[in-house]
């Protein structure tokens, strides 16, 4: 009886201008592809961490707290697996986003530490890692933006009649997106600059 009802609903959707199944499937694949790129770029950033930490350690042995924070944040990121099949779980996406945010903050603190070591900033390997990290942060931002747009297009599609009927029949659900409170972080790449020294603050009396 349930199967018959679903068949009737599907035939109704087709009769009202096409069920939109192929379009929904295509957009769902676009979301998965965009997410894969997000993961690739975040993995690229995580892969830079060991060399970056070891290079800074060579000049700043006494900054153990910062090294530990970066290492632990990277380990936490590595323990969270959010694949394309679990993108419908808002809690998993939230946890993933929080872990990546913690790693980004830890890397920012490592950057601040580097400003105190001129010899480190002049190191060729460090400069190379700087350039790689800066490029990766930019690629992360682009990938996240594309994912946000893909999810928005998908969600809009499956909410529109008669696509919403087809989505219901075939189990397509609205997908969670990156949270609004981090919208600025999504649209603006973090500034990574080991090569210049910020002006010293004015002395206070």
């Amino acid at each position: 009886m349930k199967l018959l009802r679903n068949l009737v609903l599907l035939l109704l959707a087709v009769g009202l201008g096409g069920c939109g199944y192929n379009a929904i499937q295509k957009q769902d694949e676009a979301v998965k592809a965009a997410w894969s790129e997000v993961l690739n770029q975040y993995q690229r950033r995580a892969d830079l961490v060991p060399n970056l930490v070891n290079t800074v350690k060579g000049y700043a042995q006494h900054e153990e707290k910062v090294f530990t924070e970066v290492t632990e944040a990277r380990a936490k990121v590595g323990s969270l697996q959010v694949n394309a099949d679990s993108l419908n779980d808002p809690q998993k996406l939230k946890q993933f986003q929080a872990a990546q945010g913690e790693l980004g903050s830890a890397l920012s603190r490592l950057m601040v530490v580097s400003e105190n070591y001129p010899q480190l900033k002049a190191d060729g390997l460090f400069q190379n890692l700087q350039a790689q990290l800066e490029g990766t942060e930019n690629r992360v931002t682009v990938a996240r933006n594309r994912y946000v747009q893909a999810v928005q297009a998908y969600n809009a599609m499956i909410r529109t009649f008669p696509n919403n009927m087809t989505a219901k029949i075939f189990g397509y659900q609205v997908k969670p997106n990156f949270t609004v409170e981090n919208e600025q972080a999504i649209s603006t790449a973090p500034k990574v600059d080991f090569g210049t020294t910020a002006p010293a603050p004015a002395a206070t009396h």
Side-chain angles (χ1 to χ4, degrees):
M1 191 68 180
K2 185 177 180 181
L3 179 61
L4 179 60
R5 185 184 65 181
N6 288 343
L7 181 59
V8 170
L9 287 173
L10 178 57
L11 290 174
L12 178 61
V14 172
L16 291 172
C19 68
Y21 175 78
N22 289 338
I24 294 174
Q25 193 172 40
K26 181 178 180 180
Q27 191 59 46
D28 185 52
E29 291 301 320
V31 170
K32 292 177 180 178
W35 180 250
S36 294
E37 185 60 20
V38 170
L39 291 182
N40 286 341
Q41 298 308 330
Y42 272 133
Q43 185 60 51
R44 182 193 294 266
R45 183 176 73 170
D47 289 344
L48 288 173
V49 169
N51 283 340
L52 186 59
V53 169
N54 288 334
T55 302
V56 176
K57 270 186 177 181
Y59 294 88
Q61 297 92 339
H62 303 296
E63 306 289 350
E64 193 61 37
K65 180 181 178 182
V66 177
F67 301 144
T68 300
E69 289 174 347
V70 174
T71 302
E72 290 179 350
R74 181 181 184 271
K76 187 173 182 179
V77 163
S79 70
L80 292 175
Q81 299 298 324
V82 182
N83 56 36
D85 295 328
S86 58
L87 283 179
N88 291 334
D89 189 335
Q91 190 60 33
K92 285 187 177 181
L93 182 61
K94 184 177 180 181
Q95 291 172 349
F96 175 86
Q97 185 176 2
Q100 294 293 350
E102 289 176 14
L103 179 55
S105 296
L107 285 171
S108 294
R109 290 191 289 274
L110 188 65
M111 286 186 256
V112 171
V113 165
S114 72
E115 290 295 328
N116 299 324
Y117 299 89
Q119 288 183 321
L120 167 63
K121 291 168 63 177
D123 183 278
L125 175 59
F126 185 77
Q127 291 174 354
N128 179 263
L129 290 169
Q130 167 209 343
Q132 291 186 57
L133 184 58
E134 183 176 34
T136 299
E137 292 289 9
N138 287 330
R139 284 189 286 268
V140 164
T141 299
V142 171
R144 283 176 60 126
N145 274 327
R146 288 175 178 169
Y147 176 74
V148 168
Q149 293 166 6
V151 171
Q152 288 173 342
Y154 168 87
N155 287 343
M157 177 176 289
I158 69 168
R159 286 174 173 145
T160 304
F161 184 83
N163 294 337
N164 58 341
M165 298 177 65
T166 305
K168 183 176 181 180
I169 292 169
F170 289 99
Y172 287 101
Q173 303 174 359
V174 170
K175 298 182 185 294
N177 214 334
F178 286 114
T179 53
V180 175
E181 52 263 32
N182 280 344
E183 183 176 351
Q184 184 175 359
I186 293 171
S187 59
T188 306
K191 182 173 178 57
V192 181
D193 188 356
F194 297 106
T196 59
T197 303
T204 56
H205 298 282

